[in-house]
Amino acid sequence: MAASAFLTVCVLCAATLRTGFGLHTVNAIYGETIDIPCGHSQDKINGLMFGKWKYEQPDGNAVSVATRSAVKNRTSFDDVPEYNGRLDLSENYTLSISKGRISDEKRFVCMLITEETVFEVPTVVKVFKPPSKPEITNQPTFMETGKLNTVGDCVAKDSYPDANITWYRNSQALVSADGVASIVSSKERNSTSGLHNIHSSLQYMSTKNDIDAEFSCAVTYYMPNGIAVMESDPVIFDIYYPTEKVTIHVQSPKKTIKEGDNITLKCIGNGNPPPQEFLFYLPGQEEGIRSTSAYLITDIKRNATGDYKCSLLNKVMIASTMVTVHYLDLSLTPSGDITKQIGDSLSVSCIPSASKNVSVTWMKNQKILTQPTFTNLQFRDSGVYECETSLLEVDGLRRKKTLRLTVEGKPRIKLSKKTNADGKSKTIVYEVDGFPKPEVQCVSLGNGLYLNKTEETTLSNGRYSAKIIISPEENVTIICSAENKLGRESHSLNISAIRIPEPVEPNDRSGESNDHAKLIVGIVVGLLLAALVAGLAYWIYSKRSSPASKHVGKELGNTEENKKLEENNHKLEA
């Protein structure tokens, strides 16, 4: 046999010891079954009697653990307490150890024995145990800037062989550095299990840049296939830092502030945690008012316009803001109910007072007009005048004043006449103005009867008109009188007989003296006498005239009758 060159003679056992097959290594996982091959094929060994496994103690002594007979095909296990019930030896002499332990990390030797030779194959068993997931304990609730803060303890338990812990900030490894970070690591070995517990504590000088920063730790350990890394869950800390700046602003439900509003001054410090109390300084006040971060001002006045300030309680880092309280006043002179006489003058002024420049708008009876001036009051000037102003940029800030003007005056009346389209009647129209509203009466001088108006129309303030419809058989004179508490005015109008058409002849004698009305009684008597004389003369004239002259007379009758009526009127007026 070619291998016989390597045999040596064992005198004591009459066999040859065969070694030199090299040292094998088996990597095993803690808690799992460890399979250790014998390292030599028994098929190539003639006359194999049995196989045997042993391990070497640290002192060099060997301890047998299992034997298998190749002849009887029977396995026996030695009484070794730490391996009782854990061993198995297969037909190919592979030794299996269940529930691998750290103590199984030994040098095992497989021996294959024949009558002439002993083959020995040593194998070293290496056991690996990954640690538990690292965990950061003893975490603070917050970290403060300007000093070393304890970030926590990173713990990785039950590893074999031992492991190392590294700290990270935002995935960047941290190392110990004066004034920046301090890392202290330690290891503990469980004497029973042989497993290692790894500890590492971190102290860190935090800054405002560490807001929302992620801190974590990772354990580096060994496994059969090489180095492995396991990370902890990241943690984020609340970073406390002092206030470096304060700001103040106004909280108001509206964009602008007007007199009478409620406002809240809000003071904010940029520290963490933010300061809870401040000093508030009102315009013109040197002493601050201690308050929480919100200071309420109710029913603010116009004189509260100015700079509002706040500071920390130590009176440093003062912030200010300008508050403008808008206001609007309106003065109308005169105002309320005013009564004046026609022809009078009236001075009216409407003056606004506001926090900004404003203009006023005048209205009369809901219609916009320019600034009214009253140098010669007329009835048409009566009405309700409103002066209004507003600050457009300030919601709800508007003012309005009212003047109710009444213009009183004596009555004025004018008369007009026309023949109606049917040719059977004539219409007398009178227009009257005056206030209080005058009472109007019209009388016919022919028969002394009062005439009733048929309809009345309001034309404007203190002015209205009415119509009287008559059908005179003969020429008549109508006198209309208008009267109120301030005076009386009368006018007369000559009306031709119904058969004679009337041109429209408005007669406005408003300038005549009211003394004319005092002669009404005398006029009535005089006109009756004049009409009697005129009728008699006309009858005599008609009898003496020729037919041709009668025809001409008919054409000229209207003109002559009018002349006679005018003469009668002149006589009466004289």
Side-chain angles (χ1 to χ4, degrees):
M1 185 169 66
S4 62
F6 298 98
L7 296 178
T8 59
V9 178
C10 179
V11 176
L12 294 177
C13 59
T16 301
L17 178 63
R18 179 77 179 269
T19 60
F21 290 96
L23 183 65
H24 298 277
T25 300
V26 171
N27 292 325
I29 303 299
Y30 180 89
E32 297 181 2
T33 299
I34 305 172
D35 293 322
I36 311 174
C38 183
H40 188 82
S41 177
Q42 65 272 20
D43 295 337
K44 296 180 181 181
I45 300 176
N46 295 323
L48 179 64
M49 298 173 60
F50 60 91
K52 186 175 182 177
W53 277 94
K54 65 180 180 179
Y55 69 85
E56 297 177 352
Q57 292 181 328
D59 57 4
N61 294 324
V63 178
S64 297
V65 293
T67 303
R68 182 181 179 85
S69 172
V71 178
K72 297 181 181 181
N73 196 21
R74 186 175 63 187
T75 302
S76 63
F77 298 100
D78 296 280
D79 185 15
V80 180
E82 66 174 306
Y83 289 109
N84 288 340
R86 296 174 57 213
L87 299 179
D88 185 40
L89 189 58
S90 67
E91 292 181 358
N92 63 358
Y93 295 92
T94 296
L95 179 66
S96 296
I97 307 173
S98 65
K99 300 178 182 178
R101 302 173 182 174
I102 304 302
S103 59
D104 296 331
E105 194 173 74
K106 298 181 177 72
R107 189 173 185 267
F108 287 84
V109 178
C110 175
M111 297 185 299
L112 299 177
I113 302 168
T114 67
E115 290 181 355
E116 298 178 353
T117 308
V118 175
F119 296 92
E120 287 190 357
V121 181
T123 301
V124 175
V125 173
K126 294 288 185 180
V127 179
F128 296 87
K129 167 69 168 64
S132 61
K133 182 178 179 178
E135 180 183 1
I136 299 177
T137 62
N138 299 324
Q139 300 177 29
T141 56
F142 61 89
M143 293 197 298
E144 296 182 71
T145 59
K147 73 175 194 177
L148 283 174
N149 299 269
T150 297
V151 176
D153 296 328
C154 182
V155 179
K157 297 180 180 180
D158 301 332
S159 70
Y160 190 88
D162 61 5
N164 294 305
I165 289 178
T166 304
W167 285 92
Y168 293 89
R169 176 192 176 276
N170 289 339
S171 301
Q172 297 294 319
L174 295 174
V175 296
S176 291
D178 289 341
V180 178
S182 175
I183 300 174
V184 178
S185 299
S186 63
K187 301 176 182 180
E188 297 177 358
R189 184 177 183 274
N190 188 306
S191 59
T192 302
S193 66
L195 299 176
H196 297 276
N197 292 333
I198 315 300
H199 297 265
S200 181
S201 63
L202 171 64
Q203 285 189 313
Y204 179 78
M205 179 75 72
S206 61
T207 67
K208 289 177 66 176
N209 293 330
D210 295 311
I211 297 173
D212 296 329
E214 292 185 346
F215 290 83
S216 62
C217 64
V219 58
T220 304
Y221 56 96
Y222 296 93
M223 291 298 286
N225 56 351
I227 297 176
V229 179
M230 188 185 307
E231 294 185 4
S232 70
D233 293 330
V235 293
I236 299 176
F237 298 100
D238 192 8
I239 306 299
Y240 280 13
Y241 50 89
T243 295
E244 299 173 348
K245 181 182 179 181
V246 295
T247 57
I248 184 174
H249 65 275
V250 179
Q251 292 180 330
S252 175
K254 300 176 181 178
K255 293 182 180 180
T256 54
I257 302 169
K258 66 178 184 297
E259 191 172 33
D261 284 349
N262 299 334
I263 66 170
T264 299
L265 298 175
K266 185 71 174 180
C267 196
I268 300 174
N270 66 346
N272 185 39
Q276 300 300 307
E277 288 189 314
F278 297 87
L279 292 176
F280 288 87
Y281 301 87
L282 305 185
Q285 295 184 4
E286 296 183 358
E287 290 298 323
I289 301 172
R290 185 166 180 167
S291 172
T292 61
S293 61
Y295 182 72
L296 176 64
I297 302 176
T298 60
D299 192 22
I300 194 168
K301 302 301 181 183
R302 66 184 63 181
N303 57 4
T305 294
D307 281 329
Y308 288 77
K309 302 176 182 179
C310 74
S311 71
L312 299 179
L313 296 182
N314 58 6
K315 299 184 179 181
V316 297
M317 292 182 242
I318 296 178
S320 66
T321 185
M322 180 66 184
V323 174
T324 300
V325 182
H326 292 282
Y327 63 91
L328 180 61
D329 294 332
L330 190 62
S331 174
L332 176 60
T333 305
S335 61
D337 295 325
I338 301 296
T339 301
K340 302 293 288 185
Q341 298 297 314
I342 192 169
D344 288 350
S345 62
L346 178 64
S347 177
V348 177
S349 65
C350 185
I351 302 175
S353 175
S355 54
K356 299 185 70 174
N357 291 333
V358 295
S359 59
V360 297
T361 300
W362 280 93
M363 299 186 70
K364 178 185 178 183
N365 300 331
Q366 306 303 317
K367 295 182 179 180
I368 297 178
L369 70 159
T370 58
Q371 166 77 39
T373 56
F374 305 115
T375 57
N376 182 19
L377 286 170
Q378 300 298 316
F379 294 123
R380 62 177 176 273
D381 295 324
S382 295
V384 178
Y385 294 84
E386 292 176 333
C387 176
E388 184 175 0
T389 186
S390 63
L391 277 175
L392 298 179
E393 60 270 34
V394 182
D395 183 36
L397 195 55
R398 59 179 64 245
R399 297 290 183 267
K400 181 169 64 175
K401 295 289 185 177
T402 302
L403 167 64
R404 289 173 292 275
L405 175 61
T406 301
V407 178
E408 292 185 344
K410 298 177 181 179
R412 295 181 298 190
I413 187 171
K414 65 178 181 178
L415 305 177
S416 63
K417 60 184 177 178
K418 68 175 182 177
T419 301
N420 296 330
D422 59 5
K424 299 179 179 179
S425 60
K426 296 187 177 184
T427 298
I428 303 168
V429 179
Y430 63 79
E431 292 184 7
V432 180
D433 60 6
F435 193 86
K437 182 180 178 181
E439 292 290 334
V440 178
Q441 289 185 339
C442 293
V443 63
S444 173
L445 294 184
N447 52 22
L449 297 177
Y450 288 98
L451 304 177
N452 295 325
K453 60 187 177 183
T454 57
E455 56 181 285
E456 182 177 295
T457 302
T458 300
L459 302 178
S460 62
N461 289 338
R463 182 168 171 262
Y464 65 96
S465 67
K467 296 180 180 179
I468 299 174
I469 299 176
I470 61 174
S471 300
E473 295 295 334
E474 301 292 342
N475 297 338
V476 296
T477 297
I478 302 299
I479 295 181
C480 292
S481 300
E483 183 177 7
N484 63 13
K485 67 177 183 178
L486 300 177
R488 178 174 178 173
E489 181 174 280
S490 299
H491 285 294
S492 62
L493 185 64
N494 297 321
I495 308 298
S496 302
I498 190 61
R499 64 181 180 274
I500 303 173
E502 294 280 3
V504 178
E505 298 179 359
N507 184 19
D508 184 5
R509 300 185 179 181
S510 57
E512 295 182 5
S513 172
N514 286 335
D515 292 338
H516 181 241
K518 299 179 180 179
L519 300 177
I520 290 179
V521 176
I523 292 172
V524 171
V525 175
L527 287 177
L528 290 175
L529 293 176
L532 180 61
V533 172
L536 180 60
Y538 179 73
W539 179 77
I540 296 173
Y541 174 77
S542 298
K543 290 293 186 178
R544 294 180 178 178
S545 299
S546 63
S549 64
K550 287 182 180 180
H551 178 72
V552 174
K554 288 181 180 180
E555 294 178 350
L556 301 176
N558 186 33
T559 301
E560 293 176 353
E561 289 173 358
N562 285 336
K563 289 181 179 180
K564 292 179 180 181
L565 289 174
E566 289 294 336
E567 291 174 358
N568 290 336
N569 285 337
H570 287 306
K571 292 178 180 180
L572 290 175
E573 290 174 358

